[in-house]
Amino acid sequence: MMKTDQSYMHRCIELALQGTGSVAPNPMVGAVLVHEERIIGEGYHKQYGQPHAEVNCITSVTVMDHELIPAATLYVSLEPCAHFGKTPPCSDLIIQKEIKKVVIGCRDPFSEVNGKGIDKLEKAGINVVTGVLEDECKALNKRFFTFHSKQRPYIILKWAQTGNGKIGSDLQERLLISNEHTNRLVHQWRSEEAAILIGTNTALLDDPSLDNRLWSGKSPVRMVLDLPLRLPTSLKLFNREQPTIIFNLLKNEDDGNIVYHQIQDQTNVIREILKACFTLGLQSIIVEGGAKLLQTFIDAGLWDEARIITNEQLNISKGLHAPILQNHQQVTIEKLFSDTITCYIPKQINP
């Protein structure tokens, strides 16, 4: 692997990240067109349903550089598509432009693509190089890869706790733990995920809006687990301002922006929720409580990332204990005034 290949692929990743929150359920993709160590075109997938990275990259080439396109190398963070979706196949455009070499970060796990784009390019006589910064390119689209490889959404667990490990007060009132700066960050997190999930008690006690009003971008689909349907419709969850799914044991009903989804197997509620998310094309969920629901995900080993906010300056004598992670490893830690934000992933078990 050439160092220059890696540097251009890093640029593809930088470009791809500009599509964060705007391209799902498509993956984020960046592309760079290089002629004799000079970048003559760049592009990324900007919006779902709009042209892909390869198209934007090639169309960005100036008129005076058009004649250089066939002799240039195209770098792209994900395998070019080979099927008709919202847009025509990018592999066809690459072939049409007579580009002789394509360097790809990683294969696309989506069944309609997975190797088909590479195969089409190679059959057209194009020199295809794969696996450049493969791990980084897969990490870029961890939600997309998890969704298609595991047939479930990417699962993020999030909670705030006091310095002595309490997630809430034992009194029937909301305990405000994280500071205003962290709250804004949490709303940014929400804007990056397809759905957000809470349990019945959290809905009753906090009456949350579950939107990202403190950040720009689309709010996630709201989901609440209310098996006996005891939540009053006066709660903010029922304001119809964003799509909301109520998982319950009593009924299936589609009432516009509020959908009641009946759980069939009460012994496997979490897996039914994940199955519903897969069917609906929701590639990621952030689970924000309560403690019992979070612990259920942990105990089932169904999580990909845990983000724990700890207010080191706040301690309470009595309260609800925070969930306990199992088989985890820390990946990042940062301080945001009174709060410490620690991110964990499941511990990798060596074969």
Side-chain angles (χ1 to χ4, degrees), residues 98-114:
E98 300 181 336
I99 295 172
K100 300 296 188 297
K101 183 177 180 180
V102 178
V103 179
I104 297 170
C106 61
R107 285 171 62 135
D108 189 329
F110 181 43
S111 60
E112 292 293 323
V113 183
N114 201 352

Side-chain angles (χ1 to χ4, degrees), residues 89-140:
C90 293
S91 54
D92 287 355
L93 175 65
I94 296 169
I95 294 169
Q96 176 192 333
K97 293 296 181 179
E98 300 181 336
I99 295 172
K100 300 296 188 297
K101 183 177 180 180
V102 178
V103 179
I104 297 170
C106 61
R107 285 171 62 135
D108 189 329
F110 181 43
S111 60
E112 292 293 323
V113 183
N114 201 352
K116 296 182 179 70
I118 294 171
D119 185 58
K120 180 180 279 191
L121 295 177
E122 289 180 335
K123 284 181 177 177
I126 296 172
N127 177 16
V128 179
V129 178
T130 60
V132 176
L133 297 186
E134 184 173 12
D135 290 342
E136 291 89 337
C137 289
K138 286 182 176 179
L140 170 68

Side-chain angles (χ1 to χ4, degrees), residues 241-256:
E241 292 181 2
Q242 63 202 83
T244 303
I245 302 172
I246 312 296
F247 291 101
N248 69 95
L249 293 174
L250 303 177
K251 66 178 180 178
N252 278 316
E253 185 178 298
D254 189 340
D255 186 18

Side-chain angles (χ1 to χ4, degrees), residues 270-308:
I270 299 301
R271 290 195 181 276
E272 280 211 36
I273 291 174
L274 298 182
K275 183 179 179 181
C277 288
F278 183 77
T279 301
L280 293 168
L282 300 173
Q283 292 186 1
S284 63
I285 58 172
I286 183 165
V287 185
E288 290 203 11
K292 183 178 178 181
L293 181 60
L294 287 160
Q295 194 66 56
T296 302
F297 274 89
I298 294 169
D299 293 344
L302 289 169
W303 62 285
D304 299 291
E305 196 175 319
R307 301 172 184 175
I308 303 175

Side-chain angles (χ1 to χ4, degrees), residues 10-19 29-32 42-45:
H10 272 301
R11 179 56 182 161
C12 289
I13 293 172
E14 287 178 355
L15 289 165
L17 284 168
Q18 295 184 49
V29 184
V32 174
E42 290 187 336
Y44 66 96
H45 187 25

Side-chain angles (χ1 to χ4, degrees), residues 71-320:
T73 297
L74 177 67
Y75 292 83
V76 59
S77 56
L78 188 70
E79 176 182 5
C81 60
H83 68 295
F84 282 88
K86 294 284 185 181
T87 60
C90 293
S91 54
D92 287 355
L93 175 65
I94 296 169
I95 294 169
Q96 176 192 333
K97 293 296 181 179
E98 300 181 336
I99 295 172
K100 300 296 188 297
K101 183 177 180 180
V102 178
V103 179
I104 297 170
C106 61
R107 285 171 62 135
D108 189 329
F110 181 43
S111 60
E112 292 293 323
V113 183
N114 201 352
K116 296 182 179 70
I118 294 171
D119 185 58
K120 180 180 279 191
L121 295 177
E122 289 180 335
K123 284 181 177 177
I126 296 172
N127 177 16
V128 179
V129 178
T130 60
V132 176
L133 297 186
E134 184 173 12
D135 290 342
E136 291 89 337
C137 289
K138 286 182 176 179
L140 170 68
N141 286 300
K142 56 190 177 183
R143 297 160 181 82
F144 182 79
F145 273 80
T146 297
F147 185 81
H148 288 287
S149 63
K150 297 185 178 181
Q151 309 285 285
R152 66 160 174 81
Y154 186 86
I155 302 164
I156 299 170
L157 308 181
K158 171 263 168 183
W159 69 84
Q161 62 185 22
T162 63
N164 60 339
K166 299 294 193 298
I167 199 173
S169 169
D170 58 356
L171 303 175
Q172 291 302 307
E173 60 183 33
R174 185 177 184 182
L175 177 64
L176 300 177
I177 297 177
S178 52
N179 63 50
E180 60 180 310
H181 305 283
T182 305
N183 290 341
R184 184 172 175 82
L185 176 61
V186 169
H187 282 233
Q188 178 186 345
W189 292 346
R190 290 177 179 178
S191 74
E192 296 168 352
E193 310 311 329
I196 183 170
L197 173 67
I198 61 170
T200 311
N201 290 335
T202 300
L204 281 171
L205 182 61
D206 296 349
D207 189 17
S209 297
L210 300 184
D211 57 17
N212 56 315
R213 61 193 175 278
L214 302 180
W215 196 261
S216 60
K218 185 179 179 181
S219 291
V221 173
R222 297 184 293 203
M223 303 192 302
V224 60
L225 181 59
D226 180 19
L227 296 180
L229 287 181
R230 64 187 177 95
L231 292 176
T233 56
S234 58
L235 294 177
K236 294 172 186 173
L237 285 169
F238 297 93
N239 61 16
R240 299 181 178 276
E241 292 181 2
Q242 63 202 83
T244 303
I245 302 172
I246 312 296
F247 291 101
N248 69 95
L249 293 174
L250 303 177
K251 66 178 180 178
N252 278 316
E253 185 178 298
D254 189 340
D255 186 18
N257 249 15
I258 299 177
V259 174
Y260 291 87
H261 183 99
Q262 187 176 10
I263 297 292
Q264 302 298 321
D265 182 3
Q266 192 172 352
T267 65
N268 217 342
V269 172
I270 299 301
R271 290 195 181 276
E272 280 211 36
I273 291 174
L274 298 182
K275 183 179 179 181
C277 288
F278 183 77
T279 301
L280 293 168
L282 300 173
Q283 292 186 1
S284 63
I285 58 172
I286 183 165
V287 185
E288 290 203 11
K292 183 178 178 181
L293 181 60
L294 287 160
Q295 194 66 56
T296 302
F297 274 89
I298 294 169
D299 293 344
L302 289 169
W303 62 285
D304 299 291
E305 196 175 319
R307 301 172 184 175
I308 303 175
I309 301 162
T310 305
N311 184 340
E312 310 285 358
Q313 299 177 11
L314 176 64
N315 293 282
I316 58 175
S317 57
K318 295 181 180 180
L320 182 64

